[in-house]
């Protein structure tokens, strides 16, 4: 049997990030930003002499012929402080400076002495011969033109092939967050400068335009009979990055609604309208859920959700016109996996939460982007539980967030959740960083727990009510929550939410709670320090956190309320604990982000309970998850013998819940990765096969339907890993099903595979099959109309053990007509994880670095992603030196080669340290 194992991608472990791609290098960049704190009142922020009141934007879009737009913007603004210069943002726009006009109250023209630009700061200066007077109102009118580019930011152009006519269709769409609005029209492009927007969009007849607000009427364009102009209602005050519009030939599906309800539509390509049913039914329910949660009516008359064939982000919350990549909004319920269905639901609930938290109340500056995204993610997960109460989706997603944050936040190069933003190029690392989207909801769940549901929700409502149609910052939310907590008596009057939460948002990392029991004295001593996955010289005593202490014991399983707080003032605390308690467990229901390290006797007491099939469930599910995660991690860094960890993990033979298995298999995955391409890999896999055998027997009949979200998740996970580790007949069953599908009539429309297991079947059939199986799946990828299937297929195709196929596949990554850029990263990642593919991928990177670098311009980050995929699979000093030498030789291809070297050094060094410490020990247990 071929021992090549292509690692199954569990993409749901990774948080849904707003921006496409995971730029690992930003973790290093952010750590450097944190060490030299940026001042938010930087030279890159515009002066506050003027405050915009309203915009009138008239824009004509030219598709298919000129690929450009032309328009006029009129900005009504109030002078706050006397000055002779208006400073606003403009980038990559063509402006006839002689046509720029300033009028006082729209009547008296103010003489303009000069119009100038500072390109490196993306600023436009309009200077007058006289001073603008404080408190007076002025109107600045600027005509402009711009090119519709393919840069994925601003107002850009894309195309798709209409399957019915086989013709290319062009469309234009906006993506303004964070700094893209200035590329579409001159404006005050900072979140704090809210204003109303009146938008008119001109376009060729036969196309449709959509914007934030409700359509009012359409008129023929007086200067061109082939064009029409669509007029939209005026918006409430909003930030520029939330403005949105698109011109396309899309169609819409409207939900049934009463006259007084919000008009809710799904907009997409005509051929995908059959995939809108789920979103059109879900959206109105979620809007109502959020209205009730915030106790605030939705402030607009309509809510559009647009599926865009090629969006730069996964989704974007533009007010009244949220945009999504197609697979984050559309889904075919007949063929989609339940995980994909709920993930689409999560995407919708997240963006609709933003309509209040982010749009109605907006951050003052990008430093608080984490707040915006973290709360929308938290409430989005809660929203899925509301719509599908039987799913426990929030609990599962929270565990996946823990998996990600516990890993990334334990690095020396991690950064605080709240990072001061000064320069424009500091925004992107935050907006593309998974910590922003994963740690935030964990902390909001923690607050909801220690404040109580009623206090937390009312504090959020107070915040929304006080700052609606305005801007706020982190401390404003903390004040609202503190006031409500003091009013309801759920927080000591001497303690504020800011005191507590600053330790979690402004400090790097998370703590480990050290638990040391004195069994003879009947006491327990608690202390904390920062947890690091690579030990530094000495202990980090500078950081400490406000930790709410919850616990349970073998003698009293109901001690779940916070007994006290551990903080800097009482960071070494001894309290009584009954001598006869076999064990104590802290952090009930895993609601707070920290690890817990127990003494050996306590661990052994826990292990005895876990390994008793009649008692293990007395330890709550989420605490079993934490025990698994912590024991594996402590063993990995050398704080605990693997022997103890493996004794604990033996209990899994009678575990029947999904999240503990997810935790264990994720931890084993790290070990498995480090043993790849070594003589002991097969032995380790044999051990895991034994562990999986009992739960695999429950699901081995792959065609038997399983009900319930968590059961389906468990089946999918177990079958995936059982086949990965060649458990019993798993591979043969997969191959039989795949080959049966190959022989079916019309396989594209008649996929006979169990839909929840499709991705696993594809991966193993390609891994253990031959050229015929590979070519068959490649054909299905090319014909598929379901984005989630295409994602899984492109990954599976990289799992073959046939080198000639891998080499051809890698070369196709540099041809957008064969494999789109958005799929190329997934394909390369897949090949690097493949034991046979790793060396092929590495040689491809070495030989094709010039082509890869050129192909990913102007974005420029594709090469860094490829480098990090390779580095993650390396684990020897020789590999590190070889790769560093390669980066140094190729430094001209990287914007910041030193950051790249730092990142790969930390990644590979971590692998080297583990290998040197444990390679010869782990399989003796």
């Amino acid at each position: 049997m071929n021992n090549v194992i292509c690692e199954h991608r569990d993409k749901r472990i990774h948080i849904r990030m707003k921006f496409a791609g995971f730029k690992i290098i930003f973790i290093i960049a952010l750590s450097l930003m944190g060490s030299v704190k940026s001042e938010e009142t930087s030279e890159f922020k515009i002066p506050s002499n003027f405050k915009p009141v309203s915009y009138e934007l008239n824009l004509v879009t030219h598709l298919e012929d000129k690929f450009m737009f032309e328009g006029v913007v009129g900005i009504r603004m109030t002078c706050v402080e006397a000055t002779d210069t208006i400073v606003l943002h403009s980038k990559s726009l063509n402006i006839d400076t002689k046509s720029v006009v300033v009028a006082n109250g729209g009547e008296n023209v103010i003489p303009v002495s000069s119009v100038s630009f500072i390109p490196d700061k993306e600023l436009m200066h309009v200077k007058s011969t006289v001073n603008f007077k404080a408190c007076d109102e002025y109107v600045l009118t600027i005509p402009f033109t711009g090119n519709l580019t393919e840069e994925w930011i601003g107002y850009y152009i894309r195309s798709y092939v209409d399957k019915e006519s086989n013709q290319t269709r062009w469309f234009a769409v906006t993506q303004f967050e964070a700094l893209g609005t200035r590329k579409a029209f001159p404006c005050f492009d900072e979140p704090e400068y809210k204003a109303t927007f009146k938008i008119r969009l001109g376009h060729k007849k036969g196309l449709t335009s959509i914007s934030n607000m409700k359509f009012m009427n359409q008129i023929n364009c007086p200067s061109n009979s082939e064009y029409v102009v669509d007029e939209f209602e005026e918006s409430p005050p909003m930030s520029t990055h939330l403005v949105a519009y698109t011109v396309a030939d899309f169609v819409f599906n409207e939900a049934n609604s009463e006259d007084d309800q919000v008009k809710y539509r799904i907009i997409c390509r005509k051929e995908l309208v059959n995939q809108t049913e789920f979103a059109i039914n879900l959206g109105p329910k979620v809007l109502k859920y959020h209205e009730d949660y915030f106790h605030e009516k939705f402030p607009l008359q309509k809510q559009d959700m647009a599926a865009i064939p090629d969006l730069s982000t996964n989704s974007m919350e533009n007010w009244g016109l949220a945009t999504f990549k197609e697979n984050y909004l559309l889904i075919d319920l007949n063929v989609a996996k339940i995980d994909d269905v709920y993930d689409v639901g999560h995407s919708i609930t997240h963006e609709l939460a933003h309509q209040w938290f982010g749009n109605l109340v907006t951050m003052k500056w990008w430093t608080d982007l984490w707040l915006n995204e973290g709360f929308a993610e938290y409430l989005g997960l809660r929203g899925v539980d509301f719509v599908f109460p039987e799913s426990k989706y929030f609990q599962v997603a929270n565990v996946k967030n823990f998996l990600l944050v516990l890993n990334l936040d334990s690095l020396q190069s991690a950064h605080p959740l709240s990072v001061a933003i000064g320069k424009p190029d500091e925004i992107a690392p935050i907006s593309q960083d998974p910590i922003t989207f994963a740690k935030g909801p964990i902390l909001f769940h923690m607050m909801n727990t220690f404040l109580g549901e009623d206090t937390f929700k009312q504090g959020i409502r107070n915040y929304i009510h006080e700052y609606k149609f305005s801007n706020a910052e982190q401390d404003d939310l903390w004040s609202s929550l503190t006031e409500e907590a003091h009013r309801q008596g759920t927080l000591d009057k001497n303690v504020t939410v800011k005191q507590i939460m600053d330790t979690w948002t402004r400090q790097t990392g998370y703590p480990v709670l050290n638990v040391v029991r004195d069994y003879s004295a009947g006491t327990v001593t608690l202390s904390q320090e920062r947890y690091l996955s690579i030990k530094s010289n000495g202990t980090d005593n500078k950081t400490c956190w406000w930790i709410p202490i919850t616990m349970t014991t073998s003698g009293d399983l109901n001690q779940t309320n916070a007994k006290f707080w551990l903080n800097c003032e009482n960071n070494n605390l001894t309290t009584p604990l009954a001598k006869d308690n076999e064990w104590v467990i802290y952090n009930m229901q895993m609601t707070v982000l920290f690890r817990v390290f127990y003494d050996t006797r306590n661990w052994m007491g826990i292990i005895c309970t876990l390994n008793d099939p009649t008692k293990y469930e007395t330890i709550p599910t989420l605490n079993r998850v934490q025990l698994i995660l912590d024991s594996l991690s402590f063993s990995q860094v050398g704080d605990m013998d693997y022997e103890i960890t493996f004794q604990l993990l033996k209990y899994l033979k009678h575990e029947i819940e999904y999240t503990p298995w997810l935790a264990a298999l994720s931890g084993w995955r790290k070990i498995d990765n480090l043993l790849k391409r070594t003589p002991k890999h097969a032995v380790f896999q044999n051990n895991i096969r034994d562990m999986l055998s009992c739960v695999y027997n429950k699901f081995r009949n792959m065609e038997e339907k399983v009900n319930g979200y968590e059961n389906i998740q468990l089946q999918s996970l177990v079958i995936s890993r059982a086949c990965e580790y060649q458990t019993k007949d798993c591979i043969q069953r997969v191959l039989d099903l795949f080959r049966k599908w190959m022989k079916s009539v019309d396989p594209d429309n008649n996929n006979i595979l169990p839909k929840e297991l499709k991705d696993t079947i594809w991966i193993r059939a390609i891994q253990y099959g031959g050229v015929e199986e590979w070519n068959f799946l490649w054909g299905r990828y090319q014909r598929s109309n379901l984005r989630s299937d295409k994602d899984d297929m492109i990954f599976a195709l990289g799992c073959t053990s046939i080198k000639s196929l891998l080499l051809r596949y890698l070369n196709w990554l540099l041809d957008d007509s064969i494999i789109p850029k958005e799929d190329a990263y997934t394909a390369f990642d897949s090949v690097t994880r493949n034991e046979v593919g790793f060396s092929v991928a590495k040689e491809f990177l070495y030989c094709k670095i010039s082509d890869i670098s050129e192909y990913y311009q102007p974005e420029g980050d594709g090469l860094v992603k490829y480098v990090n995929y390779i580095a993650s699979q390396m684990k020897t000093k020789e590999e590190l030196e070889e790769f560093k030498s390669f980066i140094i030789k190729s430094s001209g291809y990287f914007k910041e080669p030193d950051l790249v070297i730092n990142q790969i050094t930390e990644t590979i060094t971590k692998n080297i340290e583990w290998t040197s410490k444990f390679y010869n020990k782990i399989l003796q247990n």
Side-chain angles (χ1 to χ4, degrees), residues 422-687:
K423 297 181 292 184
D425 60 6
E426 294 174 350
I427 300 171
I430 294 293
S431 64
Q432 301 183 50
D433 180 22
I435 290 292
T436 300
F437 293 83
K439 193 172 182 178
I442 291 174
L443 298 187
F444 280 112
H445 179 51
M446 177 183 80
M447 280 190 283
N448 186 80
T449 303
F450 74 69
L451 291 175
E453 174 82 19
D454 292 342
T455 298
F456 180 77
K457 185 187 288 187
Q458 190 58 50
I460 295 292
R461 290 173 172 178
N462 297 344
Y463 169 80
I464 293 291
H465 182 74
E466 182 173 356
Y467 295 102
K468 62 182 178 181
F469 301 114
S470 185
N471 300 80
E473 53 194 0
Q474 175 174 302
D475 285 357
D476 295 322
L477 179 59
W478 299 161
S479 294
S480 294
L481 290 168
T482 299
E483 289 171 14
E484 189 59 33
H486 288 169
R487 189 183 71 79
Q488 293 195 27
T490 55
L491 192 65
D492 189 286
K493 294 284 187 182
N494 297 317
V495 178
T496 67
V497 172
K498 177 177 170 59
Q499 275 178 282
I500 298 166
M501 295 310 300
D502 275 1
T503 67
W504 293 97
T505 66
R506 300 188 188 277
Q507 289 186 137
T508 302
Y510 60 85
V512 55
L513 180 71
N514 294 306
V515 178
V516 179
R517 293 178 64 179
D518 186 330
Y519 292 89
S520 60
T523 61
V524 59
T525 299
L526 306 178
S527 62
Q528 61 165 303
E529 60 186 296
R530 184 184 170 193
Y531 180 79
L532 291 169
S533 57
I534 297 180
K535 296 295 184 182
S536 59
N537 294 326
T539 305
D540 181 3
N541 294 315
K542 297 179 182 177
T543 54
C544 59
W545 289 258
W546 276 70
I547 306 175
I549 299 297
T550 58
M551 59 174 284
T552 190
T553 68
S554 55
D556 183 358
L557 296 173
N558 297 313
Q559 296 185 38
T560 56
N561 296 324
K563 299 298 181 183
F564 51 85
W565 293 83
L566 192 68
N567 55 43
C568 297
E569 295 176 2
N570 64 341
N571 195 22
N572 202 300
L573 188 65
T574 300
T575 61
L577 185 67
K579 298 178 183 180
D580 57 353
N581 282 312
E582 296 172 5
W583 48 259
V584 60
I585 290 175
Y586 287 86
N587 196 18
M588 296 310 300
Q589 301 296 342
M590 203 170 70
T591 54
V592 187
L593 184 65
F594 62 90
R595 296 192 185 276
V596 190
F597 187 77
Y598 303 103
D599 57 68
T600 300
R601 182 172 167 181
N602 198 81
W603 276 114
M604 296 311 296
I606 292 169
I607 288 168
C608 286
T609 299
L610 283 176
N611 279 285
D612 185 336
T614 66
K615 292 183 179 179
Y616 81 97
E617 288 182 300
T618 59
I619 298 175
T621 304
L622 291 177
N623 286 103
R624 302 202 297 272
V625 170
Q626 177 152 29
L627 290 167
I628 292 167
L629 292 175
D630 288 351
S631 61
L632 279 164
S633 186
F634 293 141
S635 294
Q636 187 173 344
V637 298
D639 288 340
M640 192 163 102
D641 287 343
Y642 267 109
E643 182 178 355
I644 297 175
T645 296
F646 288 153
Q647 285 187 49
L648 183 149
L649 294 176
K650 285 179 182 178
Y651 103 90
L652 286 164
K653 290 185 177 181
H654 45 258
E655 177 62 78
I656 58 172
E657 293 204 46
Y658 170 61
T659 48
W661 272 107
L662 176 65
L665 289 167
S666 298
W668 283 331
R669 167 57 47 74
K670 294 176 185 177
I671 300 171
D672 186 67
N673 284 342
L674 292 165
L675 291 176
K676 276 183 182 178
R677 308 191 314 279
T678 72
K680 293 190 176 183
H681 190 210
V683 183
F684 176 76
Q685 290 189 326
N686 186 57
N687 291 344

Side-chain angles (χ1 to χ4, degrees), residues 8-26:
H8 182 198
R9 175 190 53 161
D10 187 357
K11 64 183 178 182
R12 279 87 193 171
I13 290 178
H14 300 289
I15 193 69
R16 179 182 309 281
M17 290 177 287
K18 177 157 296 189
F19 282 73
F22 176 176
K23 301 188 179 181
I24 288 279
I25 197 67
F26 285 155

Side-chain angles (χ1 to χ4, degrees), residues 48-110:
S48 56
N49 301 85
F50 285 90
K51 181 180 180 181
V53 177
S54 64
Y55 290 78
E56 279 206 28
L57 177 62
N58 299 280
L59 190 80
V60 179
T61 302
H62 300 283
L63 295 174
E64 298 181 350
D65 46 4
K66 301 178 184 178
F67 296 128
M68 55 88 68
F69 56 91
E70 54 187 330
V72 178
V73 64
I75 310 173
R76 184 176 295 274
M77 55 198 173
T78 301
C79 182
V80 177
E81 185 178 342
T83 179
D84 64 354
T85 305
I86 303 169
V87 182
L88 68 165
H89 293 99
S90 177
K91 181 181 180 183
S92 303
L93 295 171
N94 302 309
I95 296 172
D96 180 0
T97 57
K98 295 179 181 178
S99 300
V100 175
V101 176
V102 182
N104 189 342
E107 299 172 0
N108 303 317
V109 174
I110 306 296

Side-chain angles (χ1 to χ4, degrees), residues 54 109 125 138 254 265 315 375 496 637 698 722 750 784 793 880 892:
S54 64
V109 174
H125 287 203
Y138 299 88
E254 184 171 334
R265 301 188 303 178
S315 53
F375 188 81
T496 67
V637 298
K698 181 180 178 181
N750 182 32
S784 176
M793 288 177 186
L880 173 58

